Amino acid sequence: MHYNDKFHTNIRFDFIKHQKKFFGASLALVVLGIVSLLVFGLNYGVDFKAGTNMDIEIGKAVTQEQAKELLGTLGYKDLAPTVGGASNQRLSVRFDEVLEQPKVTEILNALKKQYGDQVSAEVNVVSPDMARELGVKTIYAVIIASVAIMIYVAIRFEWRFALAANIAILYDAFVVVALFSIFRLEVDLPFIAAVLTTIGYSINDKIVIFDRIRENLRFSKTKNKEQLAEMVNASLWQTMARNVYTVLTVLIVAISLYLFGSESIKLFALAKIIGLTSGAYSSVCIASPLWLMLRGKQKPKQTAKTSAAS
Amino acid sequence: MKGSSRLVAFLGIIVIMAGVFAWTTPGLVNDIRLGLDLKGGFEVLYEASPMEGGEKVTPSSLKETRKSLEARIDKKGIAEPEITTEGSNRIRVKLAGVTDEDEVRDMLKKPVNLTFRSGANRDKIELNGTDFVQNGAAIQRDEFGNPIITIKLKDAKKFEEITKRLTGQELAIFLDDELLSAPKVNYTISGGTAQISGNYTTEEATKLKDTINLGALPLKLTEKYTQSVGAKLGQQSLHQTVEAGLIGSAIILVFLVILFRIPGVIAGITVVSYVWLLLLVFIMMNATLTLPGIAAFVLGVGMAVDANIIMYERIKEEIRSGKSLLSSLKAGSKNSLRTIMDANITNIIASVVLYVIGNGAIRGFALTMIFSILVSILTNIFFSRFLIHLLIRSNKFNKPSYYGVKEAEIRAL
C-alpha cells in the first residue's frame, strides 16, 4: 500500500503486479469450464431439450423417495425428481418425453389424492422442433448482443480498450455458463436472460475504469511501463468505491431474489449473482491489466502524441 | 431564489410526491395486468397445418382459425382470452382463470372432423367441414316456431349433385365418429344453401349449428409449447418475489443513506419515484407483468441507483480536490453523465436482443428492463440532479460530512 501523490490516490493493492495470478486463475477456470462443457455439456431444461417439466408446490413436506415411488406407481421409472423450497414442499420433475395433457392431469390428481387439494403446479411442455428453434435463436441472440455491444465499445474507445473490455465481458458470460455446467444447474430461457444481461451490465465497470484511465493518460506525457502500470493502479483505486458500490446494489437485489424470491426465479438469480461477481472481478483483474499488456506491446515512441481522447 | 425558499421548495416537492405516491400506488398496483405465471392459467402455442395436406396455410385461413378459437373460448365464458397469430402458421392462446383446463384444451385442439355421410352403413363421406362456409350455419324458426338450421356450402354445384343423387335418402351428420343427426334429403337443393329441420329442441339445434361452424374450421392444430400454471402457485410466486424485491430495495436504501448521507437520502427518494413511475408506465402501456418481469423490476432498482452512485462518487472526488460544493456538483454531474449513459445504452442493446428472441415471460423481462432503464434516466439522473441542486443551493447543508467526505481528505486547490 502506498500513496501516489501525482494521482492523489491511496493504492492499497498493486493489481498490475499480481496480474499473472489473476490471469492464471481465470485461465484455469476457463479450461475447467471447457472441459466440463465437452465432457458433461449443459443440463438443458425443457426450453432447449424437448420434454415436460413439472414444478409442483405440494404444500406439505415431501421427500425424493416418496415422489419417486408415487411416479413409479404411475409407470414413470428412472426419473430424478428434486425437492426444494424452504421446507421441502417444492417438487420438480423433468420428463424427457412430451406428455399429453391427460397424463399430466393424472400425475397431478395422484399428487392431490396423496397430499391434498392445495397441490398447485407449473407445467411446461416443449416439442422437439420448438426446442431446436429456441436453441438456434438463443445462439444468434448471444452473438448479436455481444457483437452489438462490442461495436458500441469500439466506437466509444480506441481498439485496445474495446478489445480488452470485450474479452473480459465474454469471459464473464462464459464463467456463468461454465459454472452452470460444472454444477449441473439447469439451463432454461431465464438463464439466457441472465447471461445476456450480464454481458450488458458487466461492461459498465469497465467503461468507468477505462474512462478514468483515459482521463489520467492526459496528465502523464512520458509513458514508460512502470509509469503506465502506476497510472492504471491509480485509476483502479480512484474508481474502486463506485465500482464496488454499483455492483453491490445490484448484487443485493439479486441475492434477495435468490433467498426470498419464488422457486422458479432462483436459478436466474444465481446466474445473475455469478455474472455480477465475475463482472466486478474481471473489470479490475482482467480488463485493465489486459489493456496495459496491449498498450505495452506498442513500441515506445519518444514523441508520443497525447491521447486522442476527447 | 433565496436559500431558505429553495429548502421550502425541496420539502414541498417531497411532501407532495409522498402524498401522490401514497394515494395512487394502491390503485396502480391493483390495475397492473399480471401474466399467466403470476395469476395462473395456461398458454399454448399451436402450429396449424392443413387438414388434408396440399393446401397451404394462408394468412386468411390462419386468421379464421384464430377467430373460431375465439368463438369457442367465448362460448365457454372465459374472460379476457388473448389469442394472437404468430408468423405464418402459429397461433398463441393465453387463458387465465380456467378451472377445467383439460376440457378447454381438448376443445381447442380437437381436430374437429365434421362429415356428412351416406350409404346404408353411413360410411360414404359426401361432405366434410371444409365444404361449408365458415360461420355459415345459423338458426332460424319455421312458421310453427320450431328451430331449423340453415347451412351454406362453398360449392353449390357439388351440393346440388349430392342432393339430387340422395333424394329420399339420409345424409347423416357425424362429428368424428359420433352421429349427431340424420336428416333426410327431401329434394334437390341448388344455390348452395339448405335447411335442416327435424324435431330439434332449441338446445339441440344450437349445438348442431355450433358443431357445423366448428367443423368449418379448416386447420389442424398441434400443441408445440404449453405452459400451465396453477393459480395458487402463481400467487405464491407473486408474493414471494415482490417480497424479495421489497427486502432488497429496503437494504439498498439503508446502504445509500449510510454511504452518501444527504445525497443518499435523495437517491432513496429517486428510487421510490422510479418504482412509482415504472408502475405508471406499465399501466399506460397496458404491459403485462410476468415473474421474470418482476425480477427485471427488482434488478432495475439496483441498476437505477448506479446512476446516483457514479454521480455521487464523482462529486465526492471533486469536493476532495478542494472545489466548492456547487462547482463539485456541476463538475460531478457533467463528468459522470457520459459514463452513466454508456451503461444504459449497453443494457438497452442486450434487452432489445432479448426481446426479439424471447417468448412470453422473457419478453416481459426484456420489456421491463427497457422501461426500467428509460424511467431511471428520468428519475435517477435528471430528477436526482434537480433535487440535489435545490439542497446544495439552499446553503443549509454545506458541511462536507453531509456528503460523506471527511474534512481531512480535502486538498487545497
Side-chain angles (χ1 to χ4, degrees):
Chain A
M1 173 166 154
H2 65 277
Y3 187 81
N4 182 302
D5 281 326
K6 188 171 169 192
F7 296 108
H8 309 291
T9 310
N10 225 346
I11 294 173
R12 294 191 169 87
F13 180 84
D14 187 341
F15 285 104
I16 302 303
K17 203 172 101 193
H18 294 90
Q19 66 182 32
K20 281 198 177 121
K21 289 173 199 162
F22 298 126
F23 286 161
S26 296
L27 210 61
L29 185 56
V30 169
V31 171
L32 204 63
I34 291 173
V35 170
S36 172
L37 280 172
L38 289 177
V39 178
F40 306 117
L42 283 168
N43 176 15
Y44 290 110
V46 286
D47 288 340
F48 297 108
K49 184 186 167 200
T52 307
N53 188 69
M54 295 180 78
D55 246 332
I56 311 153
E57 178 66 34
I58 302 286
K60 284 176 188 159
V62 65
T63 66
Q64 193 186 19
E65 280 314 305
Q66 289 168 346
K68 240 180 154 160
E69 201 186 301
L70 190 100
L71 289 164
T73 58
L74 294 171
Y76 301 100
K77 313 272 186 223
D78 301 323
L79 287 178
T82 53
V83 174
S87 39
N88 292 332
Q89 302 191 345
R90 186 86 163 205
L91 189 65
S92 187
V93 198
R94 198 175 83 196
F95 305 81
D96 285 337
E97 64 263 44
V98 171
L99 289 189
E100 295 292 329
Q101 182 60 17
K103 291 190 167 172
V104 170
T105 311
E106 187 187 41
I107 295 168
L108 288 179
N109 284 341
L111 283 165
K112 279 183 183 161
K113 207 174 148 198
Q114 182 121 357
Y115 296 101
D117 271 340
Q118 78 284 356
V119 170
S120 187
E122 168 169 352
V123 184
N124 285 282
V125 186
V126 184
S127 69
D129 47 345
M130 283 306 290
R132 214 170 310 132
E133 186 182 307
L134 198 60
V136 172
K137 267 180 160 181
T138 305
I139 293 168
Y140 280 136
V142 173
I143 293 173
I144 293 170
S146 321
V147 170
I149 289 171
M150 281 181 200
I151 291 173
Y152 181 77
V153 180
I155 292 170
R156 279 281 281 109
F157 295 97
E158 51 121 18
W159 70 271
R160 288 181 206 86
F161 282 123
L163 186 62
N166 286 325
I167 291 174
I169 58 169
L170 288 181
Y171 166 79
D172 297 330
F174 185 76
V175 166
V176 183
V177 175
L179 288 180
F180 265 63
S181 166
I182 292 167
F183 293 104
R184 313 303 306 138
L185 299 169
E186 195 172 285
V187 169
D188 52 10
L189 204 52
F191 170 83
I192 302 302
V195 173
L196 276 181
T197 48
T198 291
I199 295 177
Y201 186 79
S202 121
I203 193 76
N204 299 355
D205 310 348
K206 285 133 189 115
I207 289 178
V208 169
I209 295 172
F210 286 170
D211 262 337
R212 181 51 59 100
I213 291 181
R214 192 160 63 175
E215 219 176 299
N216 285 338
L217 262 178
R218 277 182 265 173
F219 290 118
S220 40
K221 291 218 164 150
T222 50
K223 291 158 196 158
N224 67 34
K225 227 178 163 181
E226 284 70 40
Q227 282 168 322
L228 275 175
E230 182 71 4
M231 187 271 294
V232 170
N233 270 322
S235 307
L236 286 176
W237 280 107
Q238 283 171 353
T239 52
M240 189 59 79
R242 82 202 57 175
N243 282 339
V244 170
Y245 296 157
T246 50
V247 168
L248 216 52
T249 52
V250 190
L251 210 49
I252 286 171
V253 282
I255 292 172
S256 307
L257 282 177
Y258 180 74
L259 292 180
F260 311 114
S262 99
E263 207 63 31
S264 23
I265 209 79
K266 277 195 180 335
L267 281 182
F268 165 83
L270 186 62
K272 284 300 296 182
I273 292 170
I274 297 171
L276 288 165
T277 315
S278 171
Y281 159 83
S282 76
S283 304
V284 174
C285 304
I286 303 290
S288 308
L290 211 55
W291 173 81
L292 191 63
M293 273 172 70
L294 291 169
R295 170 91 192 188
K297 291 254 162 68
Q298 199 186 28
K299 280 198 176 150
K301 280 184 243 166
Q302 276 306 329
T303 53
K305 278 185 233 158
T306 42
S307 167
S310 55
Chain B
M1 241 199 299
K2 273 171 63 184
S4 52
S5 58
R6 288 204 178 87
L7 189 63
V8 170
F10 176 84
L11 293 175
I13 290 170
I14 303 306
V15 169
I16 291 170
M17 268 176 38
V20 170
F21 293 174
W23 183 51
T24 55
T25 306
L28 289 182
V29 169
N30 280 334
D31 281 352
I32 241 172
R33 224 171 57 175
L34 295 177
L36 295 176
D37 51 352
L38 296 176
K39 64 178 172 187
F42 69 90
E43 174 177 341
V44 185
L45 180 66
Y46 291 107
E47 196 163 88
S49 53
M51 200 74 105
E52 287 168 6
E55 257 180 283
K56 256 185 80 179
V57 177
T58 62
S60 76
S61 67
L62 196 66
K63 215 175 99 195
E64 284 306 316
T65 310
R66 184 182 69 83
K67 273 190 195 161
S68 44
L69 285 181
E70 225 160 38
R72 291 191 213 176
I73 290 163
D74 271 353
K75 215 168 62 187
K76 269 271 168 191
I78 298 164
E80 289 183 58
E82 271 183 69
I83 308 160
T84 46
T85 56
E86 279 177 24
S88 62
N89 63 348
R90 285 182 184 162
I91 298 177
R92 192 181 290 277
V93 178
K94 293 183 192 175
L95 300 176
V98 176
T99 44
D100 47 354
E101 187 188 330
D102 292 7
E103 200 183 310
V104 174
R105 270 170 69 172
D106 272 349
M107 172 192 83
L108 291 178
K109 189 179 65 168
K110 209 171 205 172
V112 183
N113 187 18
L114 179 77
T115 46
F116 278 39
R117 305 178 192 185
S118 65
N121 298 323
R122 292 168 174 160
D123 53 4
K124 183 166 186 283
I125 294 174
E126 300 285 357
L127 294 165
N128 66 30
T130 55
D131 289 319
F132 295 88
V133 173
Q134 286 215 2
N135 284 321
I139 300 267
Q140 285 179 2
R141 302 270 165 186
D142 64 13
E143 59 263 43
F144 308 109
N146 293 322
I148 51 174
I149 300 136
T150 57
I151 53 173
K152 277 189 196 144
L153 287 110
K154 289 178 186 162
D155 188 344
K157 275 263 154 53
K158 183 177 173 188
F159 194 53
E160 195 178 336
E161 183 273 317
I162 292 168
T163 47
K164 193 174 179 182
R165 178 159 47 81
L166 295 178
T167 301
Q169 293 176 45
E170 268 179 7
L171 192 54
I173 306 170
F174 278 85
L175 185 70
D176 298 325
D177 285 321
E178 184 195 352
L179 175 68
L180 297 177
S181 187
K184 220 170 227 168
V185 181
N186 293 329
Y187 44 80
T188 308
I189 301 166
S190 57
T193 56
Q195 296 182 340
I196 304 169
S197 54
N199 289 321
Y200 300 124
T201 63
T202 307
E203 202 175 306
E204 282 166 351
T206 310
K207 190 164 177 250
L208 192 57
K209 175 211 75 170
D210 285 341
T211 311
I212 294 171
N213 279 335
L214 218 62
L217 179 74
L219 298 174
K220 188 171 97 184
L221 297 175
T222 322
E223 290 183 348
K224 286 291 167 184
Y225 165 87
T226 63
Q227 183 191 37
S228 136
V229 181
K232 275 183 221 122
L233 190 78
Q235 277 163 17
Q236 196 190 38
S237 299
L238 178 66
H239 288 147
Q240 283 178 339
T241 314
V242 167
E243 203 178 280
L246 291 176
I247 294 172
S249 307
I251 298 173
I252 287 181
L253 291 186
V254 172
F255 178 79
L256 286 172
V257 174
I258 291 174
L259 279 179
F260 297 105
R261 312 296 157 88
I262 297 281
V265 173
I266 290 176
I269 296 167
T270 58
V271 168
V272 174
S273 25
Y274 154 86
V275 172
W276 182 81
L277 198 59
L278 191 50
L279 283 175
L280 193 69
V281 167
F282 248 83
I283 285 162
M284 276 164 41
M285 304 278 298
N286 202 17
T288 305
L289 188 66
T290 59
L291 183 58
I294 299 180
F297 210 116
V298 174
L299 286 173
V301 171
M303 286 160 64
V305 296
D306 285 5
N308 298 76
I309 292 173
I310 292 173
M311 184 170 110
Y312 298 161
E313 274 296 321
R314 188 81 204 203
I315 292 173
K316 265 170 136 180
E317 223 175 344
E318 305 286 350
I319 295 176
R320 286 196 193 108
S321 77
K323 283 188 187 146
S324 77
L325 258 182
L326 195 58
S327 48
S328 296
L329 170 67
K330 282 181 177 159
S333 24
K334 190 176 137 252
N335 289 332
S336 60
L337 182 65
R338 199 177 52 175
T339 313
I340 295 168
M341 289 315 284
D342 278 338
N344 286 328
I345 290 167
T346 51
N347 281 319
I348 285 180
I349 292 175
S351 305
V352 167
V353 173
L354 201 53
Y355 182 79
V356 175
I357 63 142
N359 64 8
I362 289 301
R363 285 208 154 177
F365 174 88
L367 205 62
T368 313
M369 212 67 174
I370 295 168
F371 287 164
S372 103
I373 293 165
L374 296 178
V375 166
S376 79
I377 292 174
L378 280 183
T379 55
N380 294 58
I381 301 179
F382 295 108
F383 185 51
S384 142
R385 269 193 201 190
F386 169 72
L387 288 182
I388 205 165
H389 254 277
L390 276 182
L391 267 198
I392 287 180
R393 303 189 95 170
S394 75
N395 289 324
K396 299 278 186 272
F397 302 94
N398 290 338
K399 276 196 216 154
S401 62
Y402 288 149
Y403 302 87
V405 177
K406 293 189 197 106
E407 299 272 1
E409 294 172 332
I410 300 172
R411 302 188 300 273
L413 206 58

